[in-house]
Amino acid sequence: MKLLLLFLNAFLLILPVCAKEALSINYWDSIEKTVQETGFNGTIVVGRGDQVLLHKSAGYADPAKTIPLTAKHLFSPGSVGKEFTTVSIMQLAAKNKLKYQDSIAKYVDALPVWANNITIEHILTHTSGLPDVKWKKGISTADAIQQIRQGTPAFEPGAGYKYTNLNVVVRALIVESITGKSYADYVDSSIFKVAGMTHAFHQTENEQASNTVVSGDFPTNMAGLTIYVTPLDLFKFENALWNGALLSTDQLKEALPGDSLSGQTNRAYFDFGKFFVDDNDALLSWEHDGSNPSHHTIKHHDFISGNVFILMSSDGNKSTLYKLLNELKASISEEVNLQI
């Protein structure tokens, strides 16, 4: 009930602001100095509902700086892309195709005996005890599975917290087992197309990265992880999450509280990053960032103003994204104050 009130309070606060038309504020002007001073190389989208308030790129798509960066260039979203496997599992749960308490061994073959006690809930919350990935260029899904088979658990399932990409790969494998589709096909049909993400794609071992991918990512071919999107794609995904196109609001609110092992009191229980509430437990915002390794992403949704901020870059400097985000949020705050 407490979390239900949290969401109801948030949306009651959102409605009056969203009902008013946005003022003519040039958001790019508010950050242009920082863009120039920091050498920001990326694309930014700011929007509210279906309305895009800012969509602009700066810099280049290639190391030689010969190809100007455009809105159609793709980035690796890093950890933000983990949300796609989270949503996929939650969609299947809503259709009663799985239960969160099911053992992952029910769906993924040839796992070590120690993995039998790992549940789907554990891999959604990074409490499975699966080890870290041993990275190498071109690492594949088969490599990840082999690492699990040859690895040892970091702790008993549910007894600790370790943020590892192996959890994400296992989620994708479970989706494949239940649907009979490759994860690339599932995410394309059940998330990308539903949300209107026209440029997003999941790379497979048989498919080379698009020539519109910005340089600077780490080459992989892993189910659930090797995903490329534009910032506008992520903006559409965020809207689809909250307008009920992908999941129900009830499912989303159930995925936020409950984490007690990561040491971060505002970390979402399932893999959605972190969330912020006020003293009355009203939801103020949620935020997720990711890296791979020079590509950086921030997805921030301000539930009070209704604004969504998507910042993606390839210059290797995540701190620049946070500086730009804070400046954009300050501009939005000024706009909201003028509207009230």
Side-chain angles (χ1 to χ4, degrees):
M1 177 61 71
K2 183 177 181 181
L3 187 60
L4 176 60
L5 290 175
L6 177 156
F7 271 78
L8 289 176
N9 288 342
F11 285 116
L12 286 174
L13 285 170
I14 292 169
L15 289 174
V17 176
C18 292
K20 302 176 182 179
E21 293 184 3
L23 297 180
S24 298
I25 292 179
N26 191 322
Y27 301 115
W28 185 255
D29 284 352
S30 68
I31 61 171
E32 189 168 14
K33 181 179 179 182
T34 298
V35 168
Q36 294 174 349
E37 291 177 347
T38 60
F40 168 73
N41 196 97
T43 300
I44 297 174
V45 171
V46 179
R48 181 182 305 155
D50 293 331
Q51 183 182 16
V52 175
L53 306 175
L54 171 67
H55 191 187
K56 194 172 180 69
S57 302
Y60 299 89
D62 63 323
K65 297 184 178 181
T66 61
I67 304 173
L69 193 63
T70 71
K72 294 183 179 180
H73 278 105
L74 296 146
F75 297 84
S76 167
S79 291
V80 178
K82 292 179 172 67
E83 292 189 21
F84 300 129
T85 55
T86 303
V87 171
S88 299
I89 292 290
M90 293 173 71
Q91 287 177 333
L92 294 176
K95 296 176 180 178
N96 296 316
K97 299 292 186 180
L98 60 81
K99 296 179 180 179
Y100 294 136
Q101 296 308 313
D102 287 345
S103 167
I104 62 173
K106 179 178 178 180
Y107 305 100
V108 183
D109 295 332
L111 292 177
V113 174
W114 55 262
N116 290 344
N117 293 327
I118 297 175
T119 68
I120 293 175
E121 185 169 0
H122 290 141
I123 63 169
L124 285 170
T125 59
H126 292 283
T127 58
S128 66
L130 288 174
D132 291 324
V133 175
K134 298 176 182 177
W135 295 102
K136 66 176 183 178
K137 286 188 176 180
I139 186 172
S140 67
T141 304
D143 293 325
I145 296 170
Q146 189 66 11
Q147 288 185 24
I148 295 174
R149 290 172 179 167
Q150 296 177 347
T152 56
F155 46 78
E156 288 294 316
Y161 178 90
K162 176 178 278 295
Y163 190 78
T164 170
N165 286 282
L166 291 180
N167 286 317
V168 183
V169 174
V170 173
R171 294 176 206 162
L173 294 176
I174 290 172
V175 172
E176 292 184 344
S177 175
I178 292 174
T179 65
K181 299 179 179 179
S182 70
Y183 184 72
D185 286 343
Y186 179 86
V187 73
D188 182 64
S189 62
S190 299
I191 296 180
F192 295 164
K193 282 186 169 59
V194 174
M197 301 166 66
T198 54
H199 294 92
F201 79 100
H202 186 303
Q203 181 176 308
T204 67
E205 294 178 55
N206 298 320
E207 179 184 12
Q208 295 299 313
S210 166
N211 58 10
T212 57
V213 172
V214 181
S215 63
D217 71 309
F218 189 81
T220 66
N221 290 294
M222 302 174 76
L225 289 171
T226 310
I227 289 175
Y228 297 96
V229 298
T230 66
L232 186 60
D233 285 329
L234 276 188
F235 173 71
K236 292 177 179 178
F237 171 67
E238 182 67 15
N239 281 338
L241 272 179
W242 289 97
N243 68 19
L246 298 174
L247 296 169
S248 71
T249 304
D250 285 343
Q251 282 182 284
L252 282 175
K253 67 189 180 188
E254 289 168 359
L256 291 185
D259 173 47
S260 60
L261 293 172
S262 71
Q264 303 174 51
T265 56
N266 66 334
R267 182 176 182 83
Y269 188 50
F270 286 3
D271 216 347
F272 286 112
K274 55 189 175 181
F275 64 99
F276 304 88
V277 299
D278 65 15
D279 292 339
N280 296 316
D281 284 331
L283 185 65
L284 300 176
S285 63
W286 77 347
E287 179 179 291
H288 205 172
D289 64 30
S291 303
N292 180 29
S294 295
H295 285 206
H296 295 293
T297 299
I298 296 176
K299 177 167 71 74
H300 181 99
H301 192 156
D302 182 338
F303 292 103
I304 304 305
S305 68
N307 285 291
V308 174
F309 305 83
I310 309 293
L311 301 92
M312 304 188 80
S313 68
S314 63
D315 53 47
N317 194 340
K318 186 185 287 186
S319 63
T320 296
L321 292 190
Y322 274 102
K323 186 172 184 180
L324 291 170
L325 173 63
N326 289 334
E327 291 177 357
L328 287 166
K329 287 166 63 180
S331 295
I332 300 300
S333 296
E334 292 177 8
E335 175 191 1
V336 171
N337 288 336
L338 288 171
Q339 289 179 324
I340 295 175

